[in-house]
Amino acid sequence: MHILVSNDDGYLAPGLRALADAMRPFGEVTVVAPEQNCSGASNSLTLTRPLSVRNAENGYLFVNGTPTDCVHIALTGLLDQRPDLVVSGINDGQNMGDDTIYSGTVAAAMEGYLFGLPAIAFSMVQKGHAHLESAARVCAGIVERFRTGSLPAPFLLNVNIPDRPYSQLRGLACTRLGKRHPSEPVVRTVSPRGDTIYWVGAAGEAADASPGTDFHATAAGHVSVTPLQIDLTHTGLLESVSQWLGQGRL
Ligand code: MN
């Protein structure tokens, strides 16, 4: 099996190394990751300047672009063959509920999915990677399940792993995305040069963390596995909007 590995925390992130190492027993591993931390990059593609792919000493390839750039370049010209799987992470921090809209970790996997490949995004629920080996073991277990199982491909899975010793994890749970409250207010401060500057505030607390959600599962110590899709059409509103438009006169 050939596995393409990327992330959004950058090619030097410990979570990337842990994931790449965990994938190695499955066969060939190619790492293409952003040069810089691109957390929050979502699905952005760099269209206003050229991109460079460079070799790191450890064999990883790094790109002066976004997570989506990395997977896009890998799949459309860099790799000789299509990989069998795209994995992203292990992110330093959770990507649950509304986070998935902003996440570069999810976006890297999503780019693989858009190209018709099975893809999995891995994140740790708490920041700091206190039990990174435990999370890497979970990643390997899920990829082993993919290798030997029969989940119809392509698919896009969003996996969030509680930061706990392996023995204290309570197994895998299939979940739906929860919902967050609106994010905390922007933080306004003054730069050393006297300009007013803003830091985007923290993500909001969970608003829907009811049973069945990613928030609920991880709070109880489960590894959350959410199948994602890309079609943003609000099917439930099609009828109402259609009636609202009436004859469609301009
Ligand atoms: Mn990140």
Side-chain angles (χ1 to χ4, degrees):
M1 186 155 63
H2 181 192
I3 302 177
L4 174 64
V5 182
S6 192
N7 77 344
D8 77 352
D9 292 337
Y11 78 105
L12 295 174
L16 179 71
R17 191 175 61 234
L19 181 58
D21 289 348
M23 295 301 104
R24 218 142 256 143
F26 295 101
E28 190 186 346
V29 171
T30 304
V31 178
V32 187
E35 183 172 20
Q36 306 281 337
N37 188 332
C38 295
S39 298
S42 189
N43 301 86
S44 55
L45 273 175
T46 301
L47 303 176
T48 52
R49 59 177 174 82
L51 296 165
S52 305
V53 180
R54 284 183 286 166
N55 289 286
E57 275 184 13
N58 61 3
Y60 295 179
L61 299 170
F62 63 97
V63 178
N64 57 345
T66 65
T68 300
D69 290 331
C70 292
V71 175
H72 192 92
I73 289 176
L75 297 181
T76 59
L78 195 59
L79 300 182
D80 294 333
Q81 290 175 327
R82 269 164 78 84
D84 301 295
L85 175 69
V86 178
V87 295
S88 173
I90 303 169
N91 191 57
D92 184 17
Q94 61 187 255
N95 280 304
M96 302 197 288
D98 309 334
D99 302 342
T100 49
I101 294 288
Y102 302 97
S103 169
T105 305
V106 173
M110 193 179 286
E111 191 68 7
Y113 179 64
L114 279 166
F115 279 86
L117 293 167
I120 312 174
F122 295 105
S123 305
M124 288 178 79
V125 175
Q126 289 81 17
K127 283 183 81 74
H129 286 320
H131 299 95
L132 186 54
E133 299 98 82
S134 163
R137 215 172 137 187
V138 170
C139 300
I142 290 173
V143 170
E144 174 62 11
R145 201 175 276 261
F146 159 68
R147 194 181 67 80
T148 56
S150 55
L151 185 60
F155 54 76
L156 173 59
L157 301 179
N158 184 37
V159 177
N160 282 274
I161 308 163
D163 196 355
R164 297 180 176 199
Y166 194 78
S167 60
Q168 290 175 29
L169 289 168
R170 291 186 55 206
L172 305 167
C174 180
T175 59
R176 62 182 169 84
L177 297 179
K179 276 215 70 68
R180 286 191 186 278
H181 287 291
S183 61
E184 299 294 319
V186 72
V187 178
R188 190 163 90 170
T189 181
V190 179
S191 82
R193 279 177 280 284
D195 298 320
T196 301
I197 55 172
Y198 299 86
W199 280 103
V200 169
E205 291 297 312
D208 175 11
S210 54
T213 63
D214 44 8
F215 292 117
H216 192 268
T218 54
H222 290 97
V223 174
S224 166
V225 180
T226 310
L228 300 180
Q229 62 180 359
I230 296 173
D231 185 350
L232 295 176
T233 309
H234 191 330
T235 309
L237 266 188
L238 280 174
E239 184 71 36
S240 304
V241 171
S242 178
Q243 282 176 15
W244 175 66
L245 295 178
Q247 302 294 323
R249 255 186 309 110
L250 290 173

